[in-house]
Amino acid sequence: MVPGLAPSRRLWRARLLLAPVWLSECLRTAVAPKRARHACTSLMLARSQVLAAVLGERPVFHSRLLPQKGETLVGWGRKWSGRRAAALAKHSGRDLLLVEDGFLRSVGRHDSPLSLLMDRIGCHYDATQPSELEELIQSDLNEAERARARAIMAAWRTEGLSKYNAQRNVAFGLPDRYVLVCDQTFGDLSIEYGMATAASFSRMLEAALAEYPDHTILLKTHPDVKDCARRGHFDPKVFGASDRVRVLTDPVHPAGLIPQAEVVYTVTSQLGFEALIWGRPVRCFGMPFYGGWGLTEDDLPAPERRRPVALEQIAHAALVRYPRYVDPLSRRICEPERAFAHVGLQRRRRQELPARIAAVGFSRWKRHFVACFLQGSEVTFQTRRQAERTPAETEAVAIWGDAEVPVAHSDKPVLRLEDGFLRSSGLGAELVRPQSLVVDDVGIYFDATRPSRLERILQTENPDNVALRRASELRDRIVRLDLTKYNLGRETWQRPTGKRPVLLVVGQVESDASIRLGSPVVRSNFELLARVRAENPDACIVYKPHPDVLAGLRRGGMQEDAAHVLADEILTRPVSPGHLFTQIDAVHTMTSLMGFEALLRGVPVVCHGLPFYAGWGLTEDRLSCPRRNRKLTLDALVHGALIAYPRYFDYRNNCFVEPEDAVGRLAELAGRGPQTAGWQRRLLRLAVRSWIGLTGNTR
């Protein structure tokens, strides 16, 4: 054992709890190559997928029980594993690599990190010794690097980023004039190695009170004080009756506190660095990595190594060159801009909806994915009976589709949820989870009797050229990958020979709310077929029943079994819609989404109802909607329907994604073939089919 590095009792207890994992890691190391490139003195580091992505290999676990391996010893900062790695490296003459969380770590505190700091000299928060970060800060930048540093800081401000990003913005009024004082957890290593002590916090607060006598002191506690029951340096109870000190114990996102602060006081907290990014004055009572460079007012003398630099140099070093970012979806090294955009998307989605939502009437299988799509809000699931008897305290109520709002929640804003237009590879009736949902606070897109959020987007918003180009590229990719809502079919179909026009008539589930609320004249598949035949007596009519009906999950419509009387052919095979659209001359539908999918591929569409894509000058409409009184381009429709309106979610990585990412995931799933139900779902489906057969109920 290296002298002076005896493990603590707490570390031994942790080892006992992790004994099975420790044993498996030792076995993996034992059969690994005799001389691996990296060996970790921390079990958790050795198992980190993010570290493996950064290093380009999975490191082995260093143990005295095994032959020594690893050209480079890897440990965690100045914790025990880092100190042990440093001692072993010095003793054996091998290289050292110290790892720490990046300054943009993750969304939630327990999420996998998006970035790691890698240092072969020291540790960024250790002001007593040099570090790679210090060397990078002192590097001169060219004009391109300065411009990138400014853009990175602008992106940080625009996206409202911090080290952790799960908390909502400030929901209460801030004082007119205040200074922000940052507490830290007791025993934080950055305090000790930042040349500070517990007394530094008392000195900081005293200075803030004395230097700004006419300002409110906002004392922000560290989120771990409440989340992890750790101890801070200030007791909130002491300031309970203070007129000048306001303690923020509830977790709030610091990006909402910093911009309006007169000055930010810190010992070694990262919030001081973030304040510099926001252009706020910073007072330091320790020596953090951003202190001593002439940009902060320091209570301690700066190390002689540090000289005045520009803020761009610190930002470029700390946010571009020093960290290693890992794409949360591909798990590959990425640029900081990609990580910033990802966290920015999570923050926007998590704050778009009210903080507390009562989700009423959702079946148990829906609850899991609904909770995913409502991340960022506290969701309480209730049955309708529960909602009427003991309604949850909430700011909004969420229901599925056009379901009725519970009377007990009739005074609350209503969020209506439905499947998105790029849903899954497999039917929803097969209980396949959706990749996208829409959350509508106005109406719902298939209800033409009143406005919806989608209709307002299409009616009022004017996407710029960048947004339209994005929509065009998204549409091209969907067509190229042959994606649709359910992605069921891959078979081909050949149009009949001859010169007759070939018309595709799309069947729907007749009990579907989109017909009831969007097709007031033609209300059945047989009526639609009859109308199309009457309008086109010489055409070749191909009828495509709804896939739920073909799968036996929904009951066929009235007289639908007589469709062969009016149609020349009935498609019962899983034909690829993308291929089918190349073989026909037009699509006739009531409100089916296949009309929208045909528009994406340049196929003429005749609407006998009022689907969301009708009334904008892109379809031949048998009905009109006075609310829809503007002409749209196809790309404007695509932007509203596929980019601005839905939410997309990645279950593997538990995060929101952009539509482009969802399209890639759908293509991957579709390549494997439609997902089908497991035996539990098959049993449920048999029960549903039996119930439908006995009762005739199709809802």
Side-chain angles (χ1 to χ4, degrees):
M1 179 176 293
V2 178
L5 286 182
S8 64
R9 289 183 179 179
R10 186 171 62 178
L11 185 56
W12 277 115
R13 286 197 296 268
R15 282 182 172 179
L16 288 174
L17 291 173
L18 294 172
V21 179
W22 178 85
L23 180 59
S24 68
E25 200 62 31
C26 285
L27 290 173
R28 184 181 74 84
T29 300
V31 299
K34 289 296 181 184
R35 196 67 175 176
R37 287 169 54 201
H38 300 89
C40 296
T41 54
S42 161
L43 177 63
M44 293 297 100
L45 267 181
R47 297 174 63 86
S48 169
Q49 295 182 358
V50 175
L51 179 61
V54 169
L55 297 177
E57 66 167 15
R58 185 174 176 186
V60 296
F61 176 54
H62 182 278
S63 172
R64 298 189 309 277
L65 303 179
L66 299 168
Q68 293 217 357
K69 297 178 179 180
E71 299 170 8
T72 300
L73 288 157
V74 184
W76 192 268
R78 293 301 185 203
K79 291 189 176 180
W80 185 86
S81 66
R83 301 196 308 274
R84 176 167 171 76
L88 287 169
K90 183 178 180 180
H91 181 74
S92 63
R94 283 178 284 175
D95 292 332
L96 172 67
L97 182 63
L98 296 180
V99 180
E100 269 285 347
D101 284 329
F103 303 122
L104 176 74
R105 186 199 181 276
S106 55
V107 178
R109 301 189 64 78
H110 303 294
D111 293 345
S112 180
L114 296 171
S115 64
L116 292 176
L117 307 178
M118 321 290 287
D119 203 310
R120 296 184 180 275
I121 300 176
C123 187
H124 73 278
Y125 57 72
D126 186 353
T128 66
Q129 297 181 16
S131 68
E132 277 193 53
L133 179 56
E134 284 190 356
E135 293 185 354
L136 292 172
I137 288 174
Q138 297 184 70
S139 300
D140 292 330
L141 303 180
N142 59 38
E143 188 51 44
E145 290 169 332
R146 289 185 182 278
R148 188 179 187 192
R150 290 192 290 270
I152 283 286
M153 289 190 288
W156 186 282
R157 295 189 296 268
T158 300
E159 303 291 4
L161 303 181
S162 187
K163 184 173 184 178
Y164 301 101
N165 297 276
Q167 301 300 333
R168 286 175 168 259
N169 288 335
V170 178
F172 50 82
L174 293 171
D176 293 334
R177 304 173 71 194
Y178 67 90
V179 297
L180 181 63
V181 175
C182 306
D183 192 11
Q184 294 172 246
T185 55
F186 198 85
D188 187 338
L189 290 178
S190 74
I191 299 172
E192 175 188 348
Y193 287 96
M195 303 162 60
T197 64
S200 303
F201 289 85
S202 299
R203 193 164 64 252
M204 172 177 64
L205 181 58
E206 291 169 1
L209 289 166
E211 293 167 3
Y212 287 88
D214 299 326
H215 289 62
T216 300
I217 307 298
L218 285 188
L219 178 57
K220 185 185 184 304
T221 61
H222 194 280
D224 279 356
V225 172
K226 185 165 186 176
D227 294 348
C228 306
R230 297 182 67 181
R231 184 159 60 101
H233 291 84
F234 299 105
D235 185 355
K237 297 178 182 178
V238 173
F239 304 102
S242 173
D243 294 331
R244 293 207 48 208
V245 180
R246 181 175 175 183
V247 184
L248 304 179
T249 56
D250 290 331
V252 294
H253 195 60
L257 302 173
I258 294 173
Q260 300 176 48
E262 191 77 21
V263 64
V264 174
Y265 283 74
T266 178
V267 176
T268 59
S269 169
Q270 182 182 310
L271 290 187
F273 174 53
E274 297 176 21
L276 291 177
I277 294 176
W278 281 97
R280 307 314 303 150
V282 178
R283 284 272 275 125
C284 292
F285 288 78
M287 190 51 58
F289 73 90
Y290 53 86
W293 302 102
L295 298 170
T296 56
E297 186 178 344
D298 302 318
D299 193 60
L300 300 177
E304 293 183 2
R305 307 182 302 274
R306 300 186 182 183
R307 58 178 176 79
V309 298
L311 177 58
E312 289 87 350
Q313 289 174 265
I314 296 182
H316 191 271
L319 298 178
V320 179
R321 294 188 64 187
Y322 192 49
R324 302 292 184 272
Y325 296 90
V326 176
D327 189 302
L329 303 183
S330 68
R331 295 296 174 185
R332 296 175 182 173
I333 298 295
C334 69
E335 295 298 323
E337 290 84 353
R338 165 65 176 164
F340 283 25
H342 170 79
V343 177
L345 174 66
Q346 309 312 305
R347 287 199 49 72
R348 288 193 300 277
R349 290 288 180 263
R350 294 168 72 98
Q351 295 190 86
E352 284 174 344
L353 303 178
R356 293 182 301 166
I357 298 175
V360 178
F362 289 88
S363 60
R364 292 201 175 273
W365 89 271
K366 282 183 179 178
R367 291 184 179 186
H368 170 71
F369 70 76
V370 166
C372 291
F373 280 91
L374 299 183
Q375 269 191 17
S377 301
E378 180 184 331
V379 182
T380 302
F381 287 98
Q382 291 188 305
T383 64
R384 290 193 165 272
R385 182 173 297 178
Q386 290 171 334
E388 295 295 357
R389 289 181 176 177
T390 55
E393 293 185 7
T394 182
E395 298 173 25
V397 58
I399 55 179
W400 188 262
D402 69 323
E404 293 184 4
V405 180
V407 174
H409 289 298
S410 58
D411 59 334
K412 300 289 193 305
V414 179
L415 305 174
R416 296 185 181 273
L417 278 60
E418 256 292 349
D419 289 332
F421 307 129
L422 293 169
R423 186 193 185 280
S424 55
S425 178
L427 294 169
E430 287 268 19
L431 308 187
V432 177
R433 293 183 302 184
Q435 302 293 311
S436 65
L437 284 185
V438 301
V439 181
D440 200 313
D441 60 340
V442 178
I444 192 64
Y445 69 86
F446 57 73
D447 185 356
T449 65
R450 56 178 175 168
S452 68
R453 171 61 58 189
L454 176 56
E455 187 178 280
R456 287 191 181 177
I457 290 171
L458 297 175
Q459 180 68 31
T460 62
E461 294 191 2
N462 295 295
D464 59 21
N465 291 334
V466 174
L468 293 176
R469 191 180 312 116
R470 181 187 180 191
S472 176
E473 292 171 354
L474 179 64
R475 173 169 57 87
D476 289 343
R477 191 176 181 203
I478 290 170
V479 173
R480 184 174 68 255
L481 295 174
D482 192 16
L483 296 180
T484 57
K485 182 176 183 177
Y486 295 116
N487 302 288
L488 298 173
R490 281 294 180 264
E491 295 187 25
T492 60
W493 176 82
Q494 187 63 43
R495 68 180 285 156
T497 57
K499 297 183 178 180
R500 290 196 302 166
V502 178
L503 307 180
L504 177 66
V505 176
V506 184
Q508 296 177 241
V509 177
E510 291 183 4
S511 61
D512 193 83
S514 71
I515 295 178
R516 175 167 47 86
L517 299 172
S519 189
V521 178
V522 180
R523 307 183 68 87
S524 73
N525 295 319
F526 193 81
E527 285 182 80
L528 177 63
L529 275 168
R531 176 171 287 205
V532 176
R533 175 55 74 192
E535 293 179 356
N536 304 274
D538 299 325
C540 174
I541 296 179
V542 179
Y543 177 63
K544 185 180 184 305
H546 193 277
D548 280 356
V549 175
L550 291 176
L553 301 171
R554 296 288 188 271
R555 191 169 182 173
M558 295 180 59
Q559 297 182 285
E560 192 167 354
D561 54 354
H564 64 279
V565 175
L566 298 170
D568 294 276
E569 184 175 348
I570 299 177
L571 285 179
T572 58
R573 296 182 292 112
V575 176
S576 160
H579 170 77
L580 183 60
F581 289 139
T582 66
Q583 302 295 309
I584 61 173
D585 297 300
V587 170
H588 285 254
T589 180
M590 288 179 281
T591 60
S592 171
L593 187 64
M594 279 197 75
F596 177 62
E597 295 167 350
L599 284 180
L600 298 184
R601 293 158 174 85
V603 179
V605 177
V606 181
C607 294
H608 296 260
L610 281 171
F612 72 87
Y613 52 86
W616 310 106
L618 297 169
T619 54
E620 183 180 332
D621 301 324
R622 297 291 186 262
L623 302 175
S624 63
C625 178
R627 296 188 309 272
R628 305 176 188 178
N629 53 21
R630 70 184 301 202
K631 302 296 182 182
L632 294 179
T633 64
L634 181 56
D635 289 335
L637 176 66
V638 170
H639 186 272
L642 297 183
I643 297 177
Y645 188 46
R647 294 177 154 217
Y648 299 89
F649 196 83
D650 186 306
Y651 298 102
R652 292 182 302 181
N653 298 290
N654 191 37
C655 62
F656 294 105
V657 293
E658 298 286 6
E660 293 83 356
D661 300 314
V663 163
R665 176 62 175 156
L666 272 179
E668 179 185 336
L669 293 172
R672 303 174 189 169
Q675 295 173 270
T676 55
W679 68 267
Q680 302 96 328
R681 294 178 180 179
R682 291 194 184 99
L683 185 62
L684 177 60
R685 187 172 68 184
L686 285 173
V688 171
R689 291 176 67 179
S690 300
W691 178 65
I692 290 174
L694 289 172
T695 65
N697 194 328
T698 60
R699 286 189 59 80

